[in-house]
């Protein structure tokens, strides 16, 4: 029984680490695209903050998660999908000025 358990543990695939964990591990096209913003963050806020920005915003996995979250249907306060929605205009800042964007919200 112990050998079976040991074989199952050895045969189980190890969880793969994220493809990019720092700016150096990004693909070359992404390094070129995000290089100036990364260097700006290193200069102004430090390397640790810049690397955290890469992990949470720039990595392909992080971008896919943000895209999925943005495209998800709205949910009510209990986390259930809304059956009825309406469009509200919400103010956001854009380069120092305010602008309005449409957002779907639940109707109670």
């Amino acid at each position: 029984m112990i050998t079976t358990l040991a074989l199952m543990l050895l045969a189980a695939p190890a969880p793969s680490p994220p493809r990019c964990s720092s700016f150096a591990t990004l693909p070359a096209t992404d390094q070129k695209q995000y290089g100036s913003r990364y260097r700006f963050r290193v200069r102004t806020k430090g390397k640790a903050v810049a690397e955290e920005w890469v992990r949470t915003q720039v990595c392909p996995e992080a971008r896919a998660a943000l895209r999925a979250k943005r495209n998800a249907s709205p949910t009510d306060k209990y986390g259930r999908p809304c059956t009825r929605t309406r469009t509200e205009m919400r103010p956001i800042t854009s380069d120092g000025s305010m602008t309005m964007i449409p957002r779907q919200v639940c109707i109670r």
Side-chain angles (χ1 to χ4, degrees), residues 48-66:
V49 172
E51 291 296 334
E52 181 64 25
W53 172 75
V54 168
R55 283 189 296 279
T56 60
Q57 302 288 323
V58 177
C59 284
E61 297 89 5
R63 287 194 311 243
L66 289 172

Side-chain angles (χ1 to χ4, degrees), residues 28-95:
T29 55
D30 287 344
Q31 283 186 2
K32 185 175 180 182
Q33 181 177 359
Y34 297 108
S36 63
R37 288 182 258 181
Y38 173 77
R39 288 187 298 276
F40 173 77
R41 280 180 175 77
V42 169
R43 259 193 335 269
T44 59
K45 299 176 183 174
K47 187 167 175 94
V49 172
E51 291 296 334
E52 181 64 25
W53 172 75
V54 168
R55 283 189 296 279
T56 60
Q57 302 288 323
V58 177
C59 284
E61 297 89 5
R63 287 194 311 243
L66 289 172
R67 192 171 26 261
K69 183 178 177 183
R70 185 174 52 241
N71 293 335
S73 62
T75 58
D76 63 7
K77 64 182 179 180
Y78 303 109
R80 297 178 300 211
C82 294
T83 55
R84 297 173 49 204
T85 61
R86 71 170 188 231
T87 302
E88 275 186 3
M89 296 301 284
R90 298 271 178 99
I92 63 165
T93 58
S94 174
D95 295 329

